[in-house]
Amino acid sequence: SAAYPPSSEVVLRVKKRAEEATAWAAAAEEIIKTGKRISMEEAKEITDKADKLNITCQEYKTLRNALRTTRGWIIRVKKCGAANGQTHVTGVTELINEHSNFIVTAMEEVSKLKQAMCGYCICRLPYEGFMIGCDGCGEWYHGPCVGVNEEQAEKFDKYVCVRCYTLRVYKENTAAVAGIVRK
C-alpha cells in the first residue's frame, strides 16, 4: 500500500483532529478529576464538541451521563411542585442536597428550590399549601396561620396582614394625638 507523505492534506487533517481530540480529553479529564462544576450549557458545548470529533472515550461517557443525570433531576424538580408550594420541605431539601453532588449544575432550578425554602408567613416556614399575599407589604402568609381559607380569600378585594393593619392604625393614632397635642 502507498504511504501518505507527512505533508499530505489528509495526514495534516488527521493530525489536527487527533490534537483536538487529545486536548478535549485532557480538558474533560481535568473537569472530572478536580470535581469542577460546570453549567448545563458548558456541558452541552463540551459534549457537542466531542460528538463533532467523534470521541467516545470514558471522559465523554462520564460527562454525557452527568448531563443526563442533571436533565433527569430538572424534570423531577418540575414535577415536585415546589414552585407552587405543592411539595413538602423535606423533598425540596433532598433535591438540593442531591444537586450538590453533580458535576453538571442547574443553578436556576436550585435557586427556585431555595426560594421555595425561604421563610414566609408569621410562622417563617416555607411556601406550602394555600398562601395569601398582603397587598400592603407583599409578604405571603399560610391561610391557616392567618385564619383565612381559599373560599374567604376569593371574596377579598385586598388582603392586609396584621402587621400592615397595626402600622396603619398606629400612624392614624399618632397623627390624631399629634393634632390634639398641637391644640
Side-chain angles (χ1 to χ4, degrees):
S1 70
Y4 288 100
S7 62
S8 162
E9 192 172 315
V10 171
V11 171
L12 293 175
R13 277 192 307 212
V14 168
K15 276 183 166 181
K16 183 179 179 200
R17 273 287 173 109
E19 289 168 359
E20 289 174 351
T22 302
W24 183 94
E29 183 180 25
E30 180 73 16
I31 290 168
I32 294 165
K33 282 189 175 181
T34 62
K36 178 184 175 197
R37 302 181 81 199
I38 57 174
S39 69
M40 292 225 6
E41 294 77 21
E42 289 173 299
K44 183 75 175 116
E45 285 177 24
I46 291 168
T47 56
D48 284 351
K49 185 172 182 180
D51 289 337
K52 287 178 185 170
L53 292 170
N54 208 18
I55 294 175
T56 58
C57 63
Q58 187 58 45
E59 292 83 1
Y60 170 75
K61 292 175 185 175
T62 300
L63 288 177
R64 186 188 63 208
N65 288 337
L67 186 58
R68 284 182 183 155
T69 298
T70 302
R71 285 181 178 145
W73 179 85
I74 289 170
I75 290 168
R76 288 192 356 255
V77 167
K78 290 178 180 173
K79 285 182 179 178
C80 85
N84 54 10
Q86 300 285 322
T87 190
H88 195 272
V89 175
T90 55
V92 174
T93 303
E94 288 172 6
L95 285 167
I96 292 171
N97 290 340
E98 184 180 344
H99 180 269
S100 67
N101 298 319
F102 290 174
I103 295 172
V104 179
T105 63
M107 297 313 291
E108 185 176 324
E109 282 72 16
V110 171
S111 294
K112 289 176 187 175
L113 289 173
K114 287 182 178 179
Q115 180 65 31
M117 295 288 293
C118 287
Y120 294 92
C121 191
I122 53 179
C123 67
R124 303 317 296 161
L125 291 176
Y127 187 103
E128 188 169 15
F130 169 65
M131 304 283 287
I132 187 165
C134 173
D135 292 310
C137 64
E139 181 73 64
W140 286 88
Y141 297 91
H142 300 105
C145 291
V146 293
V148 177
N149 62 37
E150 290 180 65
E151 189 178 298
Q152 292 169 322
E154 288 177 17
K155 295 176 184 176
F156 296 151
D157 288 331
K158 284 187 168 186
Y159 172 75
V160 179
C161 70
V162 173
R163 285 188 277 186
C164 289
Y165 179 76
T166 304
L167 182 60
R168 189 178 80 209
V169 168
Y170 172 77
K171 287 179 180 179
E172 288 171 0
N173 288 334
T174 54
V177 169
I180 292 171
V181 171
R182 285 188 197 130
K183 289 183 181 182

